[in-house]
Amino acid sequence: MLAVQPRRLLSRPKGLLLFALLSATLYWLMLHGSATPHTTRWFDGSAGSVQQAPLKENAEAKQAPLPAPLPANEPNGDGLNQQAEVQEKTEEEKQKEAEEQREENLREQFDNEYDALAKEPGADALFGQTLNTLDPAKKRSLTIEEHLKPASHKTHFSDHQPYVYDPYPKYNEKTWLAERAKYVPCEGPDGLPEADVMVFKGQPKDFPEPGFGSYDVLGMDGNLCYERETRLGIYGYQADNDTSNPSVDWDQVHWGELQEKCAQKNKARYNMQGHSNPYLTTVYSRHNSSAPGTNGDTESDLTQSEPLYREGLKKGSPSLRRKRGLPAQPRSGKSKSLAGSESRTAVLLRTYTGKEYSENDKQVIRSLITELSLRTGGLYQVYLFVHVKDTAYAIWDDEETYQYVLQRSVPPEFRDIAVLWNDEATQTMYPKIDPKKATVHVSQWLSVQKFAQEFPEFDYIWNWEIDARVTGHNYDFVEKLATFAKRQPRRGLWERNERYYIPSLHGDYDSQFRKEVERVSGKDTIWGPPKLPFVNPIGPKPPVAKPEDDNYKWGVGEEADLITVAPIFNPINSSWISGNELWGFNDSTHATTDLPRRATIVTHSRVSKRLLDIMHVENIRGNHISSEMVTQTVALLHGLKAVYVPMPVFFDRPWQGKDLAKWFNGGLKGESGGIGSAMGWGREARYRGSTWYYRANPPQRLYLNFMGWEDTNVGGKDWEETHGRPCLPPMLLHPVKDIEPTEPGYKSESNLPYS
């Protein structure tokens, strides 16, 4: 008999799982965080040395010097040693208490500033902005007029003219066909080409500027406003009092079949087979590993033997692909290049068994499939990546059990885009990793790596959080992120990556910001991968010896192997809770904790197959890093291109740029990581008023209001009759959970703890 899957609450587990441990080591960790927010001098032109932030060496691992031995003529020193130990312990405790007090003072200072700003003009200006206050001429003119066409009629809820928004390329024009094969339109659920969403020109007059990031830098037009009915109506949205039958019977839709047919229609544009992992047989010897207890043989060559991945499959790692009835991956390590072929991207929507899918969840998934896959002719393909949490289900051994879990866990319309997986599938693939460290909580990327090995036709994969929301157009948003990343030069890139870009303080991104980051960084820059004897980098070598000899050319036009939407920061000495969650990556002269590394909070990001392939190889060797640090660190170690794209992030308080820098770029050189990091233990509450973090209040409030429901005295039917319907510019919000109608007086709160 099949066991019934219990529903489990979704929560961010790291703080909860390690709370007991951290309460014992809290004081110790505090020693590595600054007790005073540090503000780097910005654009002051002053000379003088700047203190170097640590890069490789972990100060937490340094040992204190041994005390000098007692003179030979002294009496037995046991008693004196015991007294010294007691005295030393007391001094250490005093120092820890002082550090804790300084941190507490910082928290109080931030809270005081946050509360004081609540009384200033512009506080909470994020909320309650509607079509009634829409200013079509606000700030700047539209740059995308050619993509907008007036709708045939106005809406019943606004006098403003809506526009049909088509952000796609001009398919099949002469310039298009010069580099690509012909684009073939695809059908939607009703057998007809998919319609486009509608938008309004302008922004509400009091809507704030982003604190971090910029529309202009991304080439994205922020002078658009999206409203729920014109945004989601074609995907099944209906008002709460609308009792009419839906225009589409969604339970009868097969989104997987629609996507497959669409890609096949356009197969001349793509390499539909891809290629298997080339690094299994080229980068390291067969048994070479830096993990403890493994054979370090460097002579045995893999090139003449069975690839490690296939060896893993023979040992029992179950196939994700065969369960979906799809053909096996190609056998050859390389495939013939196709003239004019375009790169494809898989979008993995991270979900889990036990999740209840709201109507809004379904509408958002439909919009992602339509706007990213069907409208592009298969350039993207969307999957529901379902973590099966209950290990009692033998989904790999029995097709009936697999189908039982699938049908209980996934709405009918999405079952043929669902890929089920569990920790067993990844643990059997990486036998040198401790199974306790190979779980979704610590190792979210192992499952994505497995997907990449079995679906090699995708050049890139978006790891997409199911509780993220794009208020704007999905295609426009993700393409603008990718375009920005592609045009970034590698010179100074890692240093720009580790700072929040604050336009009001930093000025123009490509001139003032770029130059000032180089000035404060000095010689402490990354130019190619670090030289480590146990890592053989796969990335390209710098074209010149020093970055100053490159005129911002290297890397321009190169697709990014990693795209993040938050800074790629240095976790060493940051007091970040997961900064030392890494294993292997060592030898007799290099400790694991000395490994240069980078991290990003929230794993929502795009990763190349190349990066996932080498991550897979490193894990086979026994080298392993936790979820929020692994893509960034492996990209660093292997000389691959990683880019933090400074998307617009808004705040519920009218912070000045210098104060945002003080609290969020508090490092010694104005970086977001290292000493004083806002991601450090006890400091993450600073993010509570932002629109993007793992724990923040505005995303839920904004989105509930956007959907027409009350939250914190804003929104709901009666409120909208007076103030109008909310509309929002294109934004990426996180976290947004359990989007359902609310009761009068409702106030959203996150149940996840701050560290």
Side-chain angles (χ1 to χ4, degrees):
M1 175 179 288
L2 294 170
V4 178
Q5 165 69 34
R7 186 181 181 190
R8 301 183 184 179
L9 295 176
L10 178 65
S11 63
R12 190 177 190 274
K14 292 180 180 174
L16 298 175
L17 291 175
L18 297 175
F19 180 76
L21 213 58
L22 285 163
S23 57
T25 59
L26 174 61
Y27 294 148
W28 181 72
L29 288 170
M30 287 299 101
L31 289 175
H32 311 290
S34 172
T36 304
H38 179 87
T39 305
T40 295
R41 293 171 301 189
W42 202 261
F43 304 126
D44 59 2
S46 59
S49 62
V50 182
Q51 184 176 353
Q52 299 288 318
L55 175 64
K56 294 183 180 180
E57 189 173 288
N58 187 352
E60 295 168 3
K62 288 186 176 179
Q63 294 182 348
L66 293 174
L70 288 173
N73 60 349
E74 289 289 337
N76 188 308
D78 290 346
L80 293 176
N81 287 338
Q82 291 174 2
Q83 293 177 10
E85 289 175 3
V86 171
Q87 183 177 0
E88 181 181 349
K89 183 178 180 181
T90 302
E91 291 300 321
E92 183 179 346
E93 287 177 346
K94 289 180 180 178
Q95 185 177 4
K96 290 176 181 177
E97 289 174 359
E99 287 290 340
E100 184 185 68
Q101 185 59 54
R102 282 192 286 270
E103 287 288 341
E104 182 59 36
N105 292 342
L106 274 180
R107 286 189 286 271
E108 184 176 349
Q109 181 184 345
F110 179 86
D111 291 343
N112 289 340
E113 291 186 23
Y114 183 85
D115 293 341
L117 287 171
K119 303 172 185 177
E120 296 293 325
D124 285 335
L126 269 179
F127 310 107
Q129 302 293 341
T130 71
L131 290 170
N132 285 10
T133 60
L134 189 67
D135 182 1
K138 182 184 177 185
K139 296 189 303 181
R140 52 192 173 274
S141 61
L142 283 163
T143 59
I144 54 169
E145 288 283 4
E146 62 181 1
H147 295 281
L148 296 170
K149 181 175 67 176
S152 58
H153 59 278
K154 291 185 177 181
T155 65
H156 65 89
F157 49 81
S158 176
D159 292 332
H160 290 285
Q161 172 68 50
Y163 291 81
V164 177
Y165 184 32
D166 176 6
Y168 298 95
K170 295 187 180 299
Y171 293 119
N172 296 338
E173 287 192 346
K174 186 176 181 180
T175 53
W176 169 272
L177 293 174
E179 298 180 355
R180 306 170 183 85
K182 184 179 178 181
Y183 162 82
V184 182
C186 298
E187 299 173 352
D190 55 2
L192 300 173
E194 284 294 300
D196 288 308
V197 302
M198 290 193 289
V199 298
F200 295 89
K201 291 183 179 180
Q203 275 191 14
K205 63 180 181 180
D206 294 326
F207 200 85
E209 293 287 336
F212 301 152
S214 165
Y215 290 111
D216 294 337
V217 167
L218 269 58
M220 185 184 299
D221 205 314
N223 202 28
L224 295 175
C225 221
Y226 293 83
E227 175 276 333
R228 62 180 179 270
E229 190 169 327
T230 48
R231 176 69 185 88
L232 296 173
I234 59 177
Y235 305 120
Y237 169 79
Q238 290 181 275
D240 294 341
N241 58 358
D242 186 350
T243 58
S244 62
N245 292 326
S247 58
V248 176
D249 184 355
W250 297 106
D251 283 349
Q252 299 304 312
V253 175
H254 301 286
W255 290 107
E257 182 180 342
L258 289 172
Q259 290 190 94
E260 295 286 354
K261 287 181 177 179
C262 184
Q264 286 300 317
K265 281 185 176 182
N266 288 269
K267 63 182 180 181
R269 297 167 55 195
Y270 312 119
N271 178 351
M272 298 294 286
Q273 287 190 324
H275 58 81
S276 57
N277 189 338
Y279 307 124
L280 290 166
T281 59
T282 58
V283 178
Y284 298 108
S285 62
R286 183 177 184 83
H287 298 293
N288 179 258
S289 172
S290 60
T294 57
N295 186 349
D297 179 13
T298 59
E299 301 298 326
S300 183
D301 193 351
L302 275 173
T303 56
Q304 301 299 322
S305 54
E306 186 81 3
L308 288 179
Y309 172 63
R310 301 204 176 282
E311 188 174 279
L313 283 181
K314 289 191 295 185
K315 291 179 180 178
S317 180
S319 170
L320 304 177
R321 192 178 187 105
R322 69 175 176 81
K323 286 294 184 181
R324 302 186 69 251
L326 297 174
Q329 64 269 30
R331 293 182 176 276
S332 63
K334 297 181 180 179
S335 62
K336 185 178 180 180
S337 177
L338 302 179
S341 62
E342 300 175 59
S343 298
R344 297 188 72 209
T345 301
V347 180
L348 302 187
L349 305 182
R350 304 295 301 237
T351 185
Y352 53 95
T353 52
K355 175 177 170 55
E356 300 289 341
Y357 292 84
S358 68
E359 288 304 309
N360 180 255
D361 285 326
K362 297 174 186 177
Q363 294 154 15
V364 168
I365 296 171
R366 294 166 194 155
S367 75
L368 286 164
I369 296 170
T370 301
E371 294 164 21
L372 293 178
S373 180
L374 300 184
R375 284 290 277 110
T376 64
L379 190 68
Y380 293 79
Q381 189 150 335
V382 179
Y383 295 89
L384 215 58
F385 206 45
V386 185
H387 176 219
V388 180
K389 298 166 73 174
D390 193 334
T391 57
Y393 288 125
I395 59 174
W396 308 119
D397 301 331
D398 179 59
E399 184 65 25
E400 182 181 355
T401 301
Y402 188 98
Q403 292 300 324
Y404 172 82
V405 174
L406 177 66
Q407 292 176 25
R408 283 181 59 89
S409 306
V410 179
E413 62 183 294
F414 303 126
R415 287 173 187 162
D416 67 342
I417 68 168
V419 175
L420 305 188
W421 69 277
N422 59 12
D423 289 336
E424 175 194 354
T426 55
Q427 289 167 350
T428 56
M429 196 168 185
Y430 302 109
K432 292 184 180 179
I433 297 177
D434 181 351
K436 295 179 181 179
K437 304 296 189 298
T439 65
V440 68
H441 302 319
V442 182
S443 307
Q444 186 182 122
W445 288 98
L446 296 184
S447 57
V448 182
Q449 293 164 205
K450 183 171 176 59
F451 180 94
Q453 303 311 299
E454 296 193 33
F455 293 77
E457 64 268 32
F458 296 109
D459 299 281
Y460 303 96
I461 293 176
W462 264 104
N463 190 61
W464 198 275
E465 300 284 350
I466 196 73
D467 58 350
R469 291 290 187 273
V470 176
T471 59
H473 195 287
N474 292 306
Y475 174 82
D476 182 55
F477 205 97
V478 299
E479 282 292 304
K480 290 300 195 303
L481 300 180
T483 301
F484 173 89
K486 186 175 181 179
R487 71 170 184 263
Q488 289 306 298
R490 283 186 177 238
R491 176 176 169 180
L493 181 57
W494 284 101
E495 291 72 49
R496 295 192 299 277
N497 282 342
E498 61 182 341
R499 289 160 171 83
Y500 282 106
Y501 170 56
I502 306 171
S504 62
L505 177 68
H506 294 153
D508 180 72
Y509 187 90
D510 292 326
S511 56
Q512 293 170 282
F513 180 62
R514 178 190 291 177
K515 287 295 185 182
E516 184 62 12
V517 168
E518 290 187 8
R519 185 188 73 81
V520 298
S521 298
K523 298 296 183 181
D524 186 16
T525 61
I526 294 171
W527 189 241
K531 294 181 180 180
L532 298 169
F534 45 83
V535 175
N536 295 340
I538 64 168
K541 294 181 179 180
V544 292
K546 295 182 288 187
E548 54 266 32
D549 296 332
D550 175 71
N551 190 25
Y552 302 102
K553 298 296 183 183
W554 186 39
V556 175
E558 177 189 10
E559 288 282 359
D561 292 287
L562 173 64
I563 294 174
T564 71
V565 292
I568 303 173
F569 71 96
N570 186 352
I572 296 177
N573 297 330
S574 70
S575 298
W576 175 51
I577 189 174
S578 300
N580 283 329
E581 288 185 354
L582 63 164
W583 303 271
F585 285 111
N586 58 39
D587 62 11
S588 60
T589 60
H590 296 79
T592 297
T593 51
D594 288 339
L595 188 75
R597 51 197 184 272
R598 293 293 184 270
T600 301
I601 304 299
V602 185
T603 58
H604 193 101
S605 50
R606 194 195 79 168
V607 184
S608 71
K609 173 174 165 53
R610 175 165 70 165
L611 177 52
L612 290 167
D613 280 349
I614 195 61
M615 287 164 60
H616 172 67
V617 170
E618 294 292 359
N619 285 145
I620 288 176
R621 300 175 68 213
N623 297 323
H624 187 39
I625 308 173
S626 66
S627 299
E628 290 169 313
M629 207 160 43
V630 61
T631 56
Q632 301 83 351
T633 299
V634 175
L636 173 66
L637 299 180
H638 281 275
L640 301 180
K641 186 178 181 182
V643 179
Y644 152 49
V645 179
M647 71 168 185
V649 175
F650 298 83
F651 287 84
D652 63 1
R653 297 291 183 267
W655 292 102
Q656 296 294 313
K658 62 181 178 59
D659 294 319
L660 287 174
K662 175 179 69 176
W663 291 113
F664 296 95
N665 281 346
L668 297 176
K669 297 184 178 182
E671 65 273 51
S672 65
I675 295 173
S677 174
M679 281 76 76
W681 176 260
R683 306 177 196 133
E684 289 181 291
R686 299 175 193 178
Y687 288 94
R688 63 178 176 264
S690 72
T691 56
W692 182 265
Y693 202 62
Y694 83 86
R695 206 279 204 195
N697 295 325
Q700 188 82 2
R701 283 184 62 184
L702 281 170
Y703 204 80
L704 283 172
N705 293 162
F706 176 74
M707 293 305 297
W709 301 317
E710 181 178 342
D711 191 337
T712 318
N713 304 317
V714 174
K717 181 180 178 182
D718 294 341
W719 187 92
E720 288 188 358
E721 287 180 356
T722 301
H723 299 91
R725 288 202 180 188
C727 76
L728 294 171
M731 305 163 67
L732 182 56
L733 303 173
H734 182 274
V736 177
K737 300 177 183 292
D738 303 324
I739 298 301
E740 298 279 8
T742 60
E743 298 295 330
Y746 176 82
K747 293 185 178 182
S748 61
E749 293 181 344
S750 174
N751 293 321
L752 293 175
Y754 288 120
S755 65

